[in-house]
Amino acid sequence: MDLEFSPEEIAFRDEVRTFIAENYPAQLRGKQDEGDELTKEDFLSWHRVLAKKGWVAPAWPVEYGGTGWTVTQRFIFSEETARADCIRLMPFGLTMVGPVIYTFGTPEQKAHYLPRILSGEDWWCQGYSEPGSGSDLASLRTKAERDGDHYVVNGQKTWTTMAQHADWGFFLVRTDPDAKMQEGISFLLIDMKSPGIEVRPIITLGGEHEVNEVFLDNVKVPVSNRVYEENKGWTCAKFLLAHERVGIAGVASSKRGIEKVKEIAATEIDGDKPLLANPFYRRKVAELEMDLTALEFTELRTLAGEAAGKGPGPESSVLKIKGSEIQQRLTELALEAAGHYGAPYFRGFGEGDNEHPIGPDWAHRTAPSYYNMRKTTIYGGSNEIQRNIIAKMVLGL
């Protein structure tokens, strides 16, 4: 693997860097660093800029609106957006259901949904987990019964990220209660404005309204909204999760996170020296950097395989495990640097507030980030389940 950028790739990097500098929405600059909760319009403002440029879905095939970039160009793009502290694009349409639709969907589904995902006209959420079916997703109990040209859906989903903003959701439902668990599931696209859908907020330890419960009470869904064959939705589910786990690795954002931790530790005083001079803390940072470098090479190998026509397979579980653990360790290091200033954290400073965080400006964000990142080893398939997948599908145990 040649890790040196060619002159053409360097020119591409400069193009991306210049575009971000000139076009990233002004109202978003620094908003994440200040700890402000991002709105739906915040996410969509950057999405629309990239959509207009044609850069919003780099991994999609060109015929469906992708960029046609090489693996290296996609890597450079993710590096540059992380370097500029751009907010992340919501993955549910672009990297989850979009690839499912263009891979398994009908021509009519592709023609209708894909352009609306690219433009940001439709905001998507994911209806997978249930109160009794998280890591053991195939045991889900939300059911869909056929009634002519519709399904009638009843059940409950949980941990549904950003469902409070969603126009559409993709749901796993049980359509054959008598089949083996994985064989009786279908993949439905559901209009979140349908009668019978109720979204209830779950407020996290960090104080955010990010996840929700979704209740479905006799929700009518056209059969034409089913992707792929009836009772074969598990095929779509596995395909989607493999793409999700690659994205969860978050290598570029973690590299930027390490830079920020080192900047903090170089200025925060521990005794009479900078915290980064503390050999125990410095060792933690160094070990994290080494693990992240190894993960980066693994991600590059996965992307190279994808470029050669091999979709993400069980190896994506390695990316998910290590990437999520690294994200958690990053927030632990930041919280350790904040010390007691990380305890009395605040959220939601807005215009007109006359109170300010205690301690350094960055410190009040460390505890919410730490609490929020506890989820990374659970969502997208818990890391315990990922180890089982690796043992079975990669190591053949």
Side-chain angles (χ1 to χ4, degrees), residues 131-151:
S133 304
S135 298
D136 183 19
L137 182 59
S139 67
L140 64 90
R141 293 185 294 176
T142 295
K143 64 180 180 180
E145 298 175 309
R146 185 76 175 259
D147 181 15
D149 59 356
H150 283 76
Y151 291 104

Side-chain angles (χ1 to χ4, degrees), residues 17 67 76 81 86 130 154 160 179 205 211 223 237 262 265 272 285 346 382:
R17 190 173 294 181
T67 58
I76 289 171
T81 52
C86 299
E130 298 182 4
N154 286 278
T160 313
L205 281 173
V211 290
V223 172
K262 290 168 72 173
D272 58 352
V285 174
F346 300 92
S382 72

Side-chain angles (χ1 to χ4, degrees), residues 304-350:
E306 217 178 311
K310 176 186 174 185
E315 299 85 355
S316 63
S317 293
V318 177
L319 294 173
K320 197 276 177 176
I321 291 171
K322 294 303 296 183
S324 59
E325 291 176 347
I326 284 171
Q327 290 165 27
Q328 289 184 344
R329 287 161 62 190
L330 265 172
T331 62
E332 290 166 7
L333 285 173
L335 188 58
E336 184 176 343
H340 57 278
Y341 289 123
Y345 68 87
F346 300 92
R347 287 192 62 82
F349 294 104

Side-chain angles (χ1 to χ4, degrees), residues 85-104:
D85 291 326
C86 299
I87 66 171
R88 69 177 185 131
L89 299 176
M90 283 292 101
F92 306 106
L94 293 171
T95 61
M96 295 186 190
V97 75
V100 168
I101 291 172
Y102 67 62
T103 302
F104 299 100

Side-chain angles (χ1 to χ4, degrees), residues 34-38 206-208 345-355 357 364-365 368:
E34 294 165 5
D36 293 344
E37 193 163 334
L38 296 169
E208 305 97 342
Y345 68 87
F346 300 92
R347 287 192 62 82
F349 294 104
E351 187 176 350
D353 287 344
N354 59 6
E355 296 183 5
H364 73 283
R365 301 186 303 276

